[in-house]
Amino acid sequence: MLTLEAPEELLKFKNRGKDASMRQQQRIAVILQLWKAKKDEQALKRRNISSLSPASASEQLTKGVSLTLQEMINGVNASDPDCFQATQAARKILSQKRNPPLNLIVEAGLIPRLVEFLNSSLHPCLQCEATWALTNVASGTSEQTRAVVEAGAIQPLVELLSSPHLIVSEQAVWPLGNIAGDGAEFRDLFITSNAIPRLLALVSSNIPITFLWNITWTLSNLSRNKDPYACKKAVKQMLPMLFHRLQHQDSKVLSDICWALTYLTDSSTKRISQVVDMGFLPRLVELMASSDLNIFTPSLRAVGNMVTGTDLQTQVAIDAGILSVLPQLPRHPKSAIQKEAAWALSNVATGPHQHIQQLISCNALPPLVSLLKNGDFKVQKEAIWTVSNFTNGGTVDQLIQLIQAGVLEPLVNLLTIRDTKIITTILDIINSLLQESCSEQAADKLLEKESLCLLIEELGGVDRIEALQLHENHQVALTALNIIENHFGEEEENGIPALDQDNEFLKLLTKKYQSSTTSKPRTKP
């Protein structure tokens, strides 16, 4: 088997779904590699960077050789050994760390010839150099990736996955991963070339860990684009391997698999069903407790995606233990994690009152109120949506517990913000609570309208709602007007009626709001 010495990889850059981020990976194989996030197009590419370490066996053949562009062009179009030397020279300039001349190589017309070299089975070193050069070209812009695809590279690269030389088959995964990550069009060409079964066939119990990193990254790229989504057959092919390797202990493998699941479950109930039915949720919930952000972040996002599905899918997530972890997260030191947690909580609260009761039972309300009071505005918005969903689906008894948790004070304080959509949502919450307090059920549960009106008045809510009647946004002004007319109009004319201070509900509220500290949730944000 062909063996070539190679240095360590320095960095792997990763762009995750809606929010771009970077994470480092180490690699021990052929060369240094750089994963380049293409943020604007939500595509993930990587480029192999040449190293300054001692030259490999193949590089000894061309040590000291320096070719001009024209000499490279002539050499690539010549016969071996000139073509090998020229191909390696092209690979080297494409691997330089700063401003590699990708366009220069494309415009020189070298891509079709490099693709030809992929079929040189008697010359694995040439195959490896050509594949490496194509990897770096495909790591560039979509136009540069297209040049590789239109030169016919996909099928011979797929064939190289079955090469008897490990170094060649591993190198072939890289450009295919770049091509798959460029967008749905090239991803589908990858799939129709029957690449997935060949890729999965490379995974075995004794596969080098660096090779497994490469494969899971490529599968993550295949899962990535959703306009349109990958076909159901392709997802079905990938899921068993992802499920099996999710039990792996390597953080890089786990991270890429979690990202793959995040992409697959993003806004697609059908894909959520495939993932949930395969049984991923218990393991993902375990990984939500990881201290490694590279694992924790995508596992949280994947589970958050799954609770956007049907009520049954959300119940599976609850049964898997999501609520043993989720209420801890609103006090996480990173606001991005707080936002993800609030978003997941809001999706659970969208369900039936049984799901809302499970939120209450796991002590999720105190940390939710804490987010409303102290979170960044983006976090507060997600928390407001959670309260809105809670209000729309909760029973009277559940709404009483929501109020007792102290939700009204931060909501009233947020009526001064400039976001009209959020102001309207808060007004709708207050209006819903006031309307519910007029029901017969509310009277039985001691959620009396007078008590609630007095509480809103004491918190400064009436003054703020009255001021919003003059808001420039018509919907805000109209909603504020309706609240004042329907729930506070009589009090304005006749004064607020005398209230029974022994009312159990009011005593509970008064005690709650006089407390100087907020009760701590069982878990961290």
Side-chain angles (χ1 to χ4, degrees):
M1 177 176 291
L2 174 70
T3 58
L4 299 176
E5 295 181 3
E8 271 187 6
E9 167 205 18
L10 289 181
L11 295 173
K12 170 183 174 185
F13 290 102
K14 176 79 178 176
N15 178 359
R16 72 169 182 89
K18 298 179 181 175
D19 302 311
S21 65
M22 290 181 172
R23 58 189 181 81
Q24 191 175 32
Q25 280 199 355
Q26 187 177 12
R27 175 169 162 62
I28 312 167
V30 192
I31 36 169
L32 294 173
Q33 88 178 16
L34 178 67
W35 296 78
K36 187 186 77 173
K38 191 178 173 191
K39 298 179 183 177
D40 292 341
E41 299 179 16
Q42 292 293 302
L44 187 61
K45 302 289 188 69
R46 65 182 181 181
R47 188 165 63 87
N48 299 340
I49 307 301
S50 60
S51 109
L52 299 177
S53 62
S56 67
S58 66
E59 286 185 332
Q60 297 295 336
L61 297 173
T62 57
K63 188 173 181 180
V65 175
S66 178
L67 303 180
T68 66
L69 177 61
Q70 190 57 51
E71 288 171 335
M72 264 187 259
I73 295 172
N74 294 339
V76 166
N77 289 297
S79 58
D80 195 67
D82 290 340
C83 67
F84 178 80
Q85 293 176 350
T87 301
Q88 190 173 80
R91 182 269 295 174
K92 287 182 178 180
I93 66 168
L94 289 170
S95 301
Q96 64 189 37
K97 293 183 180 180
R98 295 180 179 274
N99 303 316
L102 305 184
N103 268 339
L104 201 61
I105 296 300
V106 173
E107 292 167 1
L110 296 184
I111 303 302
R113 183 67 169 152
L114 292 173
V115 172
E116 284 184 41
F117 295 155
L118 301 180
N119 297 311
S120 302
S121 58
L122 298 178
H123 304 283
C125 286
L126 179 59
Q127 286 179 314
C128 189
E129 292 290 351
T131 305
W132 186 346
L134 291 171
T135 295
N136 289 348
V137 175
S139 75
T141 65
S142 288
E143 291 74 18
Q144 290 159 349
T145 306
R146 182 173 294 277
V148 174
V149 173
E150 291 182 348
I154 291 181
Q155 196 57 51
L157 286 171
V158 171
E159 297 295 328
L160 287 182
L161 294 176
S162 303
S163 170
H165 307 290
L166 183 66
I167 191 70
V168 175
S169 59
E170 183 173 3
Q171 180 65 58
V173 176
W174 298 1
L176 287 171
N178 282 338
I179 290 168
D182 190 80
E185 178 188 358
F186 294 162
R187 174 206 64 201
D188 289 344
L189 289 176
F190 180 109
I191 292 170
T192 55
S193 68
N194 201 36
I196 294 178
R198 293 195 183 214
L199 189 67
L200 297 178
L202 295 169
V203 181
S204 64
S205 58
N206 60 351
I207 184 175
I209 189 62
T210 55
F211 203 167
L212 186 59
W213 291 345
N214 236 7
I215 292 171
T216 53
W217 166 76
T218 299
L219 293 175
S220 178
N221 264 6
L222 280 170
S223 309
R224 209 176 163 77
N225 294 285
K226 59 176 184 177
D227 189 20
Y229 286 95
C231 65
K232 184 176 181 180
K233 179 182 177 181
V235 176
K236 188 176 180 180
Q237 288 175 323
M238 292 188 289
L239 283 180
M241 181 273 190
L242 295 176
F243 179 79
H244 179 67
R245 293 297 163 177
L246 195 61
Q247 308 304 317
H248 207 284
Q249 298 304 309
D250 183 83
S251 62
K252 302 171 186 67
V253 171
L254 292 175
S255 181
D256 273 337
I257 292 177
C258 287
W259 279 119
L261 296 173
T262 294
Y263 303 142
L264 288 173
T265 55
D266 185 11
S267 306
S268 173
T269 301
K270 291 181 180 179
R271 299 292 177 266
I272 291 172
S273 179
Q274 284 183 277
V275 173
V276 170
D277 292 346
M278 182 67 69
F280 281 93
L281 270 165
R283 177 60 171 158
L284 285 172
V285 170
E286 286 180 21
L287 295 176
M288 284 173 61
S290 173
S291 59
D292 185 343
L293 281 178
N294 291 324
I295 298 172
F296 166 71
T297 302
S299 62
L300 171 59
R301 173 69 65 85
V303 173
N305 284 346
M306 291 182 210
V307 295
T308 67
T310 64
D311 290 344
L312 179 59
Q313 290 164 347
T314 300
Q315 186 59 54
V316 174
I318 293 173
D319 292 341
I322 182 178
L323 294 183
S324 67
V325 181
L326 203 55
Q328 303 176 25
L329 304 182
R331 290 201 176 104
H332 194 280
K334 290 186 175 292
S335 62
I337 300 301
Q338 296 173 5
K339 182 174 180 289
E340 291 281 345
W343 171 69
L345 287 170
S346 73
N347 287 320
V348 176
T350 306
H353 65 85
Q354 290 90 345
H355 290 175
I356 292 174
Q357 187 56 48
Q358 287 174 292
L359 284 176
I360 295 172
S361 299
C362 74
N363 204 27
L365 293 183
L368 181 65
V369 173
S370 179
L371 288 186
L372 288 170
K373 289 182 176 181
N374 307 313
D376 292 344
F377 182 56
K378 289 182 179 180
V379 177
Q380 289 176 318
K381 286 201 294 186
E382 291 295 342
I384 289 167
W385 285 116
T386 305
V387 175
S388 176
N389 292 338
F390 195 111
T391 305
N392 291 332
T395 64
V396 170
D397 187 58
Q398 290 167 346
L399 296 183
I400 291 175
Q401 293 180 74
L402 179 67
I403 296 170
Q404 290 174 345
V407 74
L408 278 174
E409 181 180 7
L411 288 179
V412 166
N413 291 338
L414 286 166
L415 286 174
T416 59
I417 63 175
R418 299 182 63 84
D419 188 317
T420 56
K421 185 174 183 180
I422 293 301
I423 292 175
T424 303
T425 302
I426 295 173
L427 290 175
D428 287 339
I429 292 170
I430 293 173
N431 191 45
S432 294
L433 291 173
L434 287 166
Q435 288 179 337
E436 197 63 49
S437 70
C438 299
S439 68
E440 186 174 327
Q441 278 184 311
D444 293 340
K445 297 287 186 179
L446 299 177
L447 177 59
E448 297 179 351
K449 180 177 178 179
E450 291 83 359
S451 301
L452 187 56
C453 287
L454 178 61
L455 177 58
I456 294 171
E457 170 79 20
E458 290 177 343
L459 294 171
V462 175
D463 291 340
R464 288 190 169 95
I465 296 170
E466 285 180 335
L468 289 173
Q469 293 177 101
L470 303 176
H471 198 277
E472 59 186 11
N473 181 275
H474 176 72
Q475 184 61 44
V476 170
L478 182 61
T479 305
L481 175 64
N482 288 336
I483 291 175
I484 295 299
E485 286 187 344
N486 295 331
H487 303 292
F488 294 96
E490 182 179 347
E491 285 81 351
E492 281 189 336
E493 294 177 11
N494 305 321
I496 297 177
L499 298 174
D500 180 2
Q501 295 300 317
D502 292 328
N503 180 294
E504 179 183 349
F505 176 62
L506 182 57
K507 288 171 67 177
L508 285 169
L509 292 178
T510 303
K511 180 180 179 181
K512 196 73 177 177
Y513 280 97
Q514 285 178 346
S515 175
S516 59
T517 58
T518 304
S519 59
K520 293 183 178 180
R522 288 187 301 103
T523 46
K524 76 175 182 181

